[in-house]
Amino acid sequence: MATPHADSAPLTGRRILICRPEPEASRLAGCFRAAGAETRTLPLIERQPLPETPERRTLILNLDQFTHILVVSPYAARLLLEELDNWWPQLPTGIQWYAVGSGTASVLTKHGISTRKPSNGWTSEALLALPSLARFSGEQVLLVRGEDGRELIRQTLEQRGARVTALALYQRRVPDHTEQEIQSAIKDFAPDAVIALSGETLNNLIALCGNSSHNLHDRLLIVPAARVAEQARAAGFVNPCIPGSLADTDIVASVADQLHGRDGGFGSAK
């Protein structure tokens, strides 16, 4: 975990561009402003709940047939809980619940669901390293996620003997930002650091910069994992950094450390 800078406003005069979806972008922006930074939000992913289908309703009603339920994001967790409140006044017992990261686990545990999560890390790879997911004998697993998500969890669990059903609750799209919005957020604002906390967000940022002829390659880029850091380097970014965790306070602390030259300066993407 990054160590917060001693100054109560360690980011005074620094400009931070946040590319997370809402409402996470505005929440994180508030934490950065509390540390003295100027902020702009330019969400590069917009999430929309998918309409209910008879197939999805059947999956929810048959929830008790699953022995493991894996939830990949806080947004997926919130949507799932809304569905469960409609159909399951009391949740079935005997299910092992899992979350990719502390944020997702927090949403579930606040609902009274005992949830397993990686003790170190917040990626699909870290979740798959849990011993209780190492071997299956045909058990049914429900994977709660967005549409067109990464297939790593599904493919890996199927290779380990699980019968995996994917439950897509939302879709992602690129927001329709105007040229003026892009100009204001990237060129006029000239951020010192950019927050891009998923591979898809990074891809959309790369495309946005390419289409608008703006180059952010020399700016501090906050990414969620080593896989995305390598993706960023391959695209020409020279200062990718992985925060101590994806908690807002750790993201702010990591940016402060990097912009103040701690840990040997930029690029502590390990």
Side-chain angles (χ1 to χ4, degrees):
M1 182 180 296
T3 302
H5 197 261
D7 188 348
S8 60
L11 290 170
T12 299
R14 299 293 194 171
R15 298 176 302 278
I16 313 298
L17 177 63
I18 302 168
C19 298
R20 302 189 76 179
E22 292 291 4
E24 291 89 342
S26 292
R27 187 190 69 211
L28 181 57
C31 292
F32 272 111
R33 287 194 296 271
E38 299 176 47
T39 65
R40 293 285 178 86
T41 60
L42 187 72
L44 294 183
I45 291 178
E46 185 175 85
R47 300 168 304 201
Q48 297 177 328
L50 289 168
E52 185 182 65
T53 64
E55 293 79 12
R56 189 171 92 191
R57 185 182 306 170
T58 298
L59 276 179
I60 296 295
L61 291 173
N62 292 332
L63 196 74
D64 55 350
Q65 296 181 8
F66 295 93
T67 56
H68 298 74
I69 297 179
L70 282 65
V71 188
V72 305
S73 71
Y75 188 65
R78 289 192 292 270
L79 292 178
L80 176 63
L81 292 176
E82 290 176 7
E83 296 267 0
L84 297 183
D85 283 343
N86 290 331
W87 301 106
W88 287 93
Q90 184 173 347
L91 288 177
T93 61
I95 298 174
Q96 295 184 32
W97 291 79
Y98 299 83
V100 179
S102 298
T104 305
S106 177
V107 175
L108 296 172
T109 55
K110 286 178 181 177
H111 200 76
I113 299 173
S114 178
T115 306
R116 304 184 185 192
K117 64 179 179 64
S119 57
N120 294 301
W122 48 87
T123 63
S124 299
E125 290 83 353
L127 181 71
L128 290 167
L130 290 176
S132 54
L133 295 176
R135 188 177 295 106
F136 296 86
S137 299
E139 293 97 327
Q140 292 204 65
V141 176
L142 184 65
L143 177 59
V144 185
R145 65 182 194 181
E147 195 174 50
D148 301 322
R150 287 181 75 196
E151 292 295 334
L152 177 67
I153 292 177
R154 179 176 191 163
Q155 292 171 351
T156 301
L157 294 183
E158 287 177 343
Q159 291 168 1
R160 295 175 180 178
R163 290 183 290 164
V164 182
T165 300
L167 173 59
L169 294 179
Y170 61 96
Q171 62 183 352
R172 294 178 293 267
R173 60 180 291 272
V174 181
D176 295 323
H177 295 298
T178 66
E179 288 297 325
Q180 183 178 0
E181 290 172 333
I182 296 168
Q183 169 85 10
S184 175
I186 296 180
K187 188 173 182 180
D188 297 343
F189 186 55
D192 297 300
V194 181
I195 314 299
L197 295 182
S198 73
E200 186 175 357
T201 299
L202 176 61
N203 284 332
N204 293 343
L205 177 65
I206 293 167
L208 184 74
C209 290
N211 292 336
S212 59
S213 301
H214 298 313
N215 190 332
L216 296 173
H217 288 169
D218 62 342
R219 312 304 163 85
L220 174 64
L221 178 70
I222 301 298
V223 295
R227 171 183 61 87
V228 185
E230 289 303 316
Q231 180 182 337
R233 291 191 187 95
F237 289 88
V238 297
N239 298 320
C241 174
I242 302 168
S245 83
L246 297 188
D248 290 350
T249 53
D250 280 343
I251 293 170
V252 172
S254 292
V255 170
D257 282 350
Q258 291 297 306
L259 291 182
H260 282 277
R262 289 190 175 187
D263 300 326
F266 286 124
S268 59
K270 298 177 181 178

